Every structure is written in C-alpha cells, then in structure tokens.
Amino acid sequence: MVEDAVEAIGFGKFQWKLSVLTGLAWMADAMEMMILSILAPQLHCEWRLPSWQVALLTSVVFVGMMSSSTLWGNISDQYGRKTGLKISVLWTLYYGILSAFAPVYSWILVLRGLVGFGIGGVPQSVTLYAEFLPMKARAKCILLIEVFWAIGTVFEVVLAVFVMPSLGWRWLLILSAVPLLLFAVLCFWLPESARYDVLSGNQEKAIATLKRIATENGAPMPLGKLIISRQEDRGKMRDLFTPHFRWTTLLLWFIWFSNAFSYYGLVLLTTELFQAGDVCSISSWKKAVEAKCSLACEYLSEEDYMDLLWTTLSEFPGVLVTLWIIDRLGRKKTMALCFVIFSLCSLLLFICVGRNMLTLLLFIARAFISGGFQAAYVYTPEVYPTATRALGLGTCSGMARVGALITPFIAQVMLESSVYLTLVVYSGCCLLAALASCFLPIETKGRGLQESSHREWGQEMVGRGTHGTGVARSNSGSQE
C-alpha cells in the first residue's frame, strides 16, 4: 500500500522541499489575514469610512473563506490535491494584486471578498503535505508549518512599518502577494498525492511519484506490487455522516468553530484591552471614545505596530509547547488542554490586573489557542480516509470561518455593554470545546492514514510487524 511505501522511504530531501513549499502557502495566507488589521485603520482615515464599513471589510474576507472552504475540499477530492491548490493560489494571487488598484470602497470590498474566496483553498496544502509524511514525522511537521504562519504575520507587520509611511497601502498589497507568486511558480514542481492517484485508479502515476520520492531521498523503493484500493465516489458530503464518522464530524466542526471564534476574538480583544489599559477601566474608556465623532480616526503609530508584533510572537512558544505534548498526550488530550488553559487565562482577566500582568495573560492565552488550532490541523487529516480527507478539512475550515465571522460582535459589540459577559462567553465556549475534544471517538496518535472508507479505522496499520500478513489482509480488504 502507499502507506507502506511512504513509511519505507521515510523522511528526507523530498519532504524538506515540500515543507518549505507548504510553509510558503501558509506564510502567504497569514500575510493576507494580517493585512486586514493594517488596512482597516488606513482606509478608515484615507477614505473617511464609517466604522461599520471598516468592519465589513474584514467580514467580507471571512464570508469569502467560509463560502469556498467546502468547495475547494470537494475539488481536491474529485480532481486532485494539486489541482485544487494550484487554482486557489492563482485565484488569490490575481485578486490580491488587483485589489491594490481599487479606485473606490465598493471595488476593494468585492475584490477582498474574492481574495477570501481563494484563501479558503490554502488549507488543502496540509492535506497534500500530510499524505506524503511518514507516521512518526507527521505531527511534528504539520505543527512546524505553524512557524511559517507566525513568520508571515511578523513579516507583514515589519513590511508595513517600512512600506506604509513612504509608499502607502497599495504597494503593501502588491508586495504582500510575493510569497503567493513564489508558491505559484514553484507549484509546478509539486507531485499529485500518490494516495489520491491510487484511489482514482491511476496506479502507474502513483508508482512514478513514489519512485521519484525514493530517488530524491536516496532510499530504495520497496519491493512488491502496489495494492489498488477499491475505487469509490470521492468528495461526497454524505460520507462525512456515515455512522462511523458522524460524531467525529459534528464534534470537529464545533472544535474548529471554537478555535477560530476564540483565536480571532482574542486578537480583537487585545487591542481593545491595551487601549483601555486594563479590564476594569474599559467601560469608562469606551464611553470616552463614543463621545468623539464617529469619523474621527487615528493612523497606526509605531507603538501600535510594536504591540501587534509582540502579540504575534506569542505563537512561537505556543507551537513549541504543542510540539512537545502532542505525541506524549495524544491529539485529543492536547486540544482539550489548550482549550482549558485558554479558559483559565480568560477567567483570570476578571481580576483587575495591571498592564504587565494583562500582557502576560493575553500572551499565554494566545500561545495555547494557536497551539490548539494546530493540533486540530494535525488531527483532522489523520482521522478522515483519502476519499473524504480534503472535504473533511474543507468543511472544518468553513466552520472555523463562521466562528471568525461571529467573534467581532462579541469582542467589540458585547464588550461595550459588559466586559465580564464577553470573557464568560469565550471561556465557556472553550470549556465546551475541551469536552468535545475528550468525546472524539478516535485517537489518531501512532496510526496510519486510512486509505479507504470501506475498511475499519486504522486497519492499514494491522500486521506492520509481519509484513506478509499485513499485505494479505489489506488485499482481502480491497476486494470486498
């Protein structure tokens, strides 16, 4: 099976190249997301936009991502991982550069929405990446891709510091598309997933891909004949709700929703709390702000950029902690732990702490919620079979965007009436998500990726020690 071949060839030069390429896609995604927090105040001032139009500029990107995530997953399952990824990257690149030439607000609103539509396909790079990774390296590698996300956000802030004062926001949009352009050029080196090729009946192409990986890694190609999985309908929504996966799908949707809801909520809360000084004085600060004209605006200062930079840097320790515990505790317990620590930090904000303590609590909370997000990115491609893996990840990503869409109404609107109620909503949501993580039926730690949805979960890994029985058993499975 492809799983046997990937395990036998091991981790090498090919996977290192693939890591950098997948990382570039994540870096580009992060930069397009980070631009929102820099572009909004700039256009608010330059085009004299009311605050609801500024908020709509952020929301439209999430609407685009939410509406397209499932579609990109479907394309990747039906026509191949590489095809889906290539189209989504070229789409994002085209509309990303085009939005720099937007003459009026309505144009930039439509174009940023189309950019969001393209970004919805970027998570499919994780599907392709996971399918080429040996079991032992999978969790560590997918987690280390988060480093590229953090690098992307830091790079965007640094780029803004140099570009915004002299060249302005249009040049920032053009220069932010550079990682996407690099990925689009290098994308043609990418092979199609061997697992996908086998499932779609293209056995020769799968063998050629595996031989190429073996050559690049300097490892011998395993002997024997490649077993063809039973060809089946790919990318069908109903497969996510078979009795075997129903609970997993519903619980994962809630986990992904909670991750994005809390992560982006915390990003918005951070600026609100920093500007107020602490939790206790936020109500009086809000009243003072409301007294000003609604069109009053302030350009981002150097101090604001530094605050953005510091909160972003918290993602690095988050990755390191998750990296250390994910193979020790397992995927489910890691997600649960990250949610619990986030909830605890949110509740500790009830105490009237000073600026330094506030920064520390927000730093820890962001580190763990970003770690929990990455643990979900490890677990989701591992739990679904090849036939529905991209669709499973796509629908989960879509649910995350729903959370990101709702969160401004809690972090900004509800905050005006009650800061404590806002904190209760976030900590309560994450406690429920911690419970959902514990109730997930399948733990994927130390298991192979499932090839066919017609086999019992994890059967591919049965008999690995005695190779003969493993192949015989798999063979009988594929002829059902």
Side-chain angles (χ1 to χ4, degrees):
M1 294 193 72
V2 177
E3 182 78 31
D4 297 293
V6 170
E7 291 298 323
I9 295 165
F11 191 93
K13 197 176 169 185
F14 172 83
Q15 279 84 0
W16 279 113
K17 286 182 187 173
L18 193 62
S19 301
V20 173
L21 206 53
T22 311
L24 261 179
W26 274 108
M27 192 175 164
D29 189 2
M31 286 173 75
E32 290 295 338
M33 295 308 300
M34 198 66 194
I35 257 182
L36 299 173
S37 56
I38 297 160
L39 195 63
Q42 186 72 23
L43 291 180
H44 179 47
C45 291
E46 205 170 300
W47 289 354
R48 293 285 162 188
L49 302 174
S51 51
W52 68 268
Q53 285 190 334
V54 177
L56 196 60
L57 203 57
T58 304
S59 295
V60 79
V61 178
F62 287 119
V63 169
M65 291 162 93
M66 182 184 74
S67 58
S68 70
S69 294
T70 305
L71 175 73
W72 292 120
N74 214 313
I75 290 169
S76 298
D77 276 333
Q78 299 263 18
Y79 305 104
R81 281 52 165 139
K82 185 182 175 178
T83 308
L85 191 57
K86 217 157 55 174
I87 296 168
S88 76
V89 165
L90 289 170
W91 176 291
T92 311
L93 176 67
Y94 178 70
Y95 288 109
I97 292 172
L98 209 59
S99 59
F101 300 97
V104 289
Y105 174 76
S106 55
W107 269 99
I108 200 154
L109 194 69
V110 171
L111 290 168
R112 290 320 285 176
L114 289 166
V115 167
F117 192 91
I119 292 173
V122 175
Q124 294 309 329
S125 59
V126 176
T127 308
L128 182 67
Y129 187 49
E131 291 184 341
F132 280 121
L133 292 171
M135 192 207 311
K136 280 186 179 175
R138 198 180 301 125
K140 288 185 181 73
C141 289
I142 295 173
L143 277 172
L144 285 171
I145 290 300
E146 163 71 7
V147 172
F148 281 94
W149 173 278
I151 291 168
T153 50
V154 170
F155 184 65
E156 186 62 43
V157 175
V158 172
L159 193 66
V161 170
F162 291 104
V163 174
M164 289 296 271
S166 53
L167 298 169
W169 63 269
R170 294 182 191 275
W171 272 102
L172 184 70
L173 285 178
I174 293 168
L175 292 171
S176 297
V178 170
L180 273 174
L181 184 65
L182 271 173
F183 184 85
V185 172
L186 296 170
C187 205
F188 295 94
W189 168 86
L190 267 179
E192 183 51 86
S193 165
R195 294 172 195 268
Y196 169 82
D197 283 334
V198 166
L199 203 70
S200 56
N202 206 334
Q203 197 183 2
E204 291 78 20
K205 202 176 166 193
I207 290 169
T209 303
L210 291 169
K211 279 180 180 170
R212 176 184 157 184
I213 301 168
T215 308
E216 281 200 43
N217 286 5
M221 179 74 181
L223 299 169
K225 199 176 170 187
L226 194 65
I227 298 163
I228 304 175
S229 297
R230 178 164 122 181
Q231 287 182 45
E232 49 194 290
D233 287 339
R234 300 182 304 278
K236 291 282 180 278
M237 198 73 174
R238 65 170 183 268
D239 291 336
L240 299 179
F241 292 96
T242 57
H244 198 63
F245 286 109
R246 192 181 298 135
W247 269 110
T248 300
T249 299
L250 293 172
L251 289 170
L252 272 177
W253 281 5
F254 181 67
I255 288 164
W256 278 72
F257 170 88
S258 304
N259 259 322
F261 178 73
S262 308
Y263 177 84
Y264 291 109
L266 187 74
V267 171
L268 293 171
L269 269 178
T270 302
T271 50
E272 298 278 346
L273 292 172
F274 274 165
Q275 283 177 309
D278 60 42
V279 174
C280 301
S281 57
I282 196 159
S283 302
S284 54
W285 175 76
K286 276 281 178 192
K287 286 189 184 85
V289 170
E290 276 168 33
K292 289 183 187 175
C293 168
S294 67
L295 285 177
C297 74
E298 288 174 19
Y299 287 97
L300 286 175
S301 66
E302 209 169 302
E303 195 183 346
D304 293 326
Y305 283 122
M306 288 314 293
D307 276 349
L308 273 173
L309 206 55
W310 278 115
T311 50
T312 306
L313 287 171
S314 64
E315 301 202 10
F316 288 104
V319 176
L320 293 174
V321 171
T322 314
L323 198 62
W324 189 72
I325 62 175
I326 198 159
D327 278 326
R328 285 172 172 82
L329 294 181
R331 281 53 162 159
K332 288 161 59 177
K333 285 179 184 171
T334 300
M335 287 191 281
L337 182 70
C338 288
F339 282 127
V340 167
I341 292 174
F342 177 87
S343 295
L344 198 66
C345 289
S346 302
L347 292 172
L348 283 172
L349 289 174
F350 269 66
I351 310 159
C352 286
V353 292
R355 175 81 181 225
N356 291 345
M357 193 62 186
L358 175 72
T359 308
L360 181 68
L361 286 172
L362 290 172
F363 190 92
I364 295 166
R366 179 144 172 191
F368 276 94
I369 199 67
S370 64
F373 221 146
Q374 278 310 299
Y377 262 112
V378 173
Y379 180 85
T380 309
E382 286 184 336
V383 81
Y384 287 112
T386 304
T388 51
R389 188 169 295 126
L391 183 65
L393 188 68
T395 53
C396 285
S397 184
M399 285 308 292
R401 307 312 171 194
V402 175
L405 251 178
I406 294 169
T407 206
F409 297 99
I410 307 298
Q412 289 169 328
V413 181
M414 190 188 276
L415 192 72
E416 288 177 15
S417 52
S418 172
V419 64
Y420 298 112
L421 185 61
T422 305
L423 293 172
V424 165
V425 168
Y426 284 115
S427 56
C429 181
C430 279
L431 282 174
L432 287 173
L435 274 174
S437 305
C438 296
F439 282 120
L440 282 166
I442 304 159
E443 172 56 74
T444 61
K445 179 187 151 191
R447 307 251 191 145
L449 293 185
Q450 193 185 1
E451 299 291 352
S452 168
S453 54
H454 293 287
R455 295 198 186 96
E456 273 307 301
W457 205 92
Q459 193 177 320
E460 279 76 4
M461 298 310 289
V462 175
R464 283 259 181 262
T466 54
H467 217 80
T469 52
V471 172
R473 204 173 289 193
S474 298
N475 205 0
S476 65
S478 63
Q479 301 302 323
E480 286 168 1

